[in-house]
Amino acid sequence: MAGEAAGGRRVFVSTLPAGPGERRLALAVVLASLAIFLSAVPFAKVPLGQVWPFIPIYQSALVVNDLITAVLLFGQFGFLRSRALLVLAGGYLFTAFMAVSHMLTFPGLFGPTGLLGAGPQSTAWLFMFWHGGFPLCVIAYALLKSDTRDIDGPAGRAGVAIASAIATIVAVVCGLTLLATAGQHALPAIMRGNQYTAVMLSVVSTTWVLSLLALVILWRRRPHAVLDLWLMVVMSAWVFDIALAAVLNAGRFDLGFYAGRIYGLLAASFVLMVLLLENGKLYARLVQSTAEAEAANRAKSDFLSRMSHELRTPLNGIIGFSQLLELDSLTPEQRESVEHIQKGGRHLLALINEVLDIARIEAGAISISLEPVLVTDVVRSALDLVRPQAHARRITLVDAVAGDDHVTADRQRLQQVLLNLLSNAVKYNRDDGRVEVSCTNADSGSIRLAIRDTGRGIAPGMLERLYTPFERLGADRSGVEGTGLGLALSRRLVEAMHGTLHVESTVGEGTTFAVELPSAAGRPAVVAGANGGPPSAATPKTFGTLLYIEDNPANLRLVERIVSYRPGLTLLSAMQGSRGLELARDHQPRAIVLDLHLPDLDGTEVLARLRGDPRTRDIPVVIVSADATPGQVTRLLAQGADAYLTKPLDVSDFLALLDRLFNRMATPCVTTT
């Protein structure tokens, strides 16, 4: 994360190192400004006409430039939290506000002596305060550049710092304006009409020295960022501005007066132009990054789909044929061998499912449907599933959840999390132990579900590795089965439901896992239960023709064996999509089982043609695929599939589905994963 933060910081002009190109451009601007300045110096005292619109036009442009620059710099401070940037942004805000006071008090512009109670010295002194204050801010910026005590913390603290800076600048500007107007008699006279007095030379020299000092300090504080480089250009123009407008000229409305203010406007524009160009580049990078992220997400989704297919397809044959063997008459040794095959296959399937679930969460491809869920309902469902496992080890399950509390969660995903935590609490418990599930109200309107066991506990030094994928903390040597992914997946699922997962453990006493989820005031939606239990090995009521479109010989053979347990079924098979369409039109089967990956036509195209042909439109189509991604399932069901089964097939579920379809028991949009 630190590397990412550092990389993010280097995209700003305030942190991006100045390259040779930026240095050459800045030097060219300074040399051009110097050439124009030197050509104007001999004519600085030449009197010109009093062009009154020039003052409000120039001052208004200056105010707008400096305000936009201050806002952009405050924005960068909000990200970088640099004290130096906060001071510099305040400096630009100071010049904007001082330009307003200067314009309002200018004699003869809005009133004979100016507004705000101004006198003959007010405007000149405001010019001096203005042109002395900004270099001081630049000096402070240069000195604070290497200060590592950045303002850390949440966004609120940055907002407080910005608000405090703005309030300070407003107070300083009001104080200086008050001093230059109401307190002008306490200041020495530096103007006599439109001409300068002798005192002006010492006052303006101080201001000029401050600008030169700011330029020197900026130059010496290396390495230079792009912003530093252009601030040096600004201070160079600032020196030319003061020289022409207050040192080398004779007074107001001569050539130096006008030329100096033009330099001031240019000085205000340099940093603004650089910041605006930077914002344009950042926006272009953002658009490019968004497009790349979308492409990466599409690639991840394609990868997940392909991996799901490639990993599940061979398991379909392993688990399917082992289930069929269980239905045959076997010797005890043979049955034990089949159980080992199934055990290994289901372990690998669980591993694949958990890896794919974690990958889906990271890719943003997992489907989470948040709704009010009754806590007692989901807890008791999970307890029922682990009860046989607990009974085998004489572990007592205690349900201490009562009441009608609801949480905002995805019911299926919450049950998946609870089932994993309860299964771990049983697996890693001692014989004759105890597992207790409780529910309490937590802080901030959350519900806390706690699962406490009486196992051996987890050492404090191992807790930080608990959620590391494939990390089993030595349990792999104990003979206890597991993949090392359950807790990592559970934590990601809980976070996807806007909750948190905590753990507390005491060695020798046990472990408590706590899931905190937002409380929900409403009632949960009705969740349909399973459509009956697994069928018996033979159901003679099922009659008709079944068409199976599949190009994998092992999968074809598996379905042939499964269908043999329904003597009333006739199986037709096709290894190509086009051939399957012909058989569907000619034989009018009662149902079609369709694989998605076919050599000639994609399964989705076959489904579309079946639904588009009046002769096959009403034939139920069951999709059988190794692609278990939620988006794929939803899309195929929306395109007209009656059911979607994922490989490896569960023989009992598959037979139950065939029984329902062939006996006209409507079960639309059935999905088994």
Side-chain angles (χ1 to χ4, degrees), residues 136-360:
L136 287 174
C137 291
V138 174
I139 291 171
Y141 162 81
L143 295 176
L144 288 171
K145 267 182 55 181
S146 57
D147 186 358
T148 57
R149 297 173 299 162
D150 293 346
I151 300 175
D152 297 324
R157 287 195 59 185
V160 170
I162 292 172
S164 301
I166 294 173
T168 302
I169 294 301
V170 170
V172 170
V173 170
C174 289
L176 292 176
T177 302
L178 189 63
L179 176 61
T181 53
Q184 60 181 303
H185 299 296
L187 299 172
I190 56 176
M191 292 294 297
R192 186 175 294 109
N194 285 333
Q195 304 300 311
Y196 302 144
T197 68
V199 180
M200 169 64 98
L201 182 61
S202 60
V203 174
V204 76
S205 297
T206 303
T207 304
W208 202 18
V209 168
L210 284 175
S211 297
L212 288 170
L213 183 62
L215 179 59
V216 171
I217 293 176
L218 271 173
W219 174 257
R220 292 177 62 86
R221 301 292 287 185
R222 298 170 185 248
H224 296 144
V226 173
L227 179 60
D228 303 337
L229 201 63
W230 286 100
L231 276 176
M232 285 187 273
V233 176
V234 168
M235 295 317 301
S236 298
W238 202 263
V239 169
F240 301 150
D241 170 10
I242 297 173
L244 286 173
V247 177
L248 302 176
N249 68 330
R252 294 190 180 115
F253 302 112
D254 56 17
L255 187 141
F257 172 86
Y258 288 110
R261 277 155 178 77
I262 292 173
Y263 267 108
L265 184 58
L266 288 175
S269 303
F270 287 138
V271 169
L272 176 60
M273 286 188 292
V274 172
L275 289 172
L276 291 176
L277 286 173
E278 173 207 37
N279 276 11
K281 291 178 181 178
L282 287 177
Y283 179 75
R285 291 194 195 107
L286 176 62
V287 171
Q288 182 181 359
S289 298
T290 302
E292 291 174 352
E294 291 174 353
N297 281 336
R298 287 194 299 270
K300 286 180 181 178
S301 297
D302 293 342
F303 171 77
L304 289 175
S305 176
R306 182 170 295 277
M307 287 301 294
S308 178
H309 177 267
E310 296 298 331
L311 293 172
R312 288 171 179 268
T313 295
L315 279 177
N316 185 50
I318 295 171
I319 296 178
F321 280 114
S322 65
Q323 288 178 334
L324 290 176
L325 286 173
E326 280 188 318
L327 299 176
D328 293 338
S329 298
L330 301 174
T331 65
E333 292 80 7
Q334 290 172 331
R335 189 165 298 279
E336 182 184 0
S337 299
V338 171
E339 288 175 357
H340 280 299
I341 294 172
Q342 285 215 26
K343 184 178 178 181
R346 295 194 184 281
H347 175 82
L348 184 55
L349 179 60
L351 178 63
I352 292 169
N353 289 337
E354 289 174 347
V355 168
L356 291 175
D357 273 343
I358 291 175
R360 288 190 194 105

Side-chain angles (χ1 to χ4, degrees), residues 44-77:
K45 296 182 180 181
V46 175
L48 299 176
Q50 296 183 0
V51 184
W52 291 108
F54 173 81
I55 303 299
I57 292 173
Y58 152 74
Q59 300 280 79
S60 299
L62 200 63
V63 169
V64 171
N65 276 12
D66 286 343
L67 280 177
I68 296 175
T69 304
V71 169
L72 292 174
L73 289 172
F74 277 131
Q76 290 200 10
F77 164 76

Side-chain angles (χ1 to χ4, degrees), residues 309 548-556 574-576 595-600 647:
H309 177 267
Y548 184 28
I549 307 175
E550 165 69 77
D551 67 325
N552 187 298
N555 290 337
L556 277 172
M575 300 186 71
Q576 294 180 332
D595 182 65
L596 292 181
H597 297 272
L598 299 170
D600 59 336
K647 298 175 183 177

Side-chain angles (χ1 to χ4, degrees), residues 372-379 403-407 411 414 522-524:
V373 176
L374 181 61
V375 174
T376 54
D377 183 21
V378 71
V379 167
D404 60 350
D405 290 325
H406 292 73
V407 294
R411 189 185 190 283
L414 177 56
R523 297 285 180 178

Side-chain angles (χ1 to χ4, degrees), residues 356-368:
L356 291 175
D357 273 343
I358 291 175
R360 288 190 194 105
I361 294 173
E362 293 177 347
I366 193 166
S367 175
I368 296 291

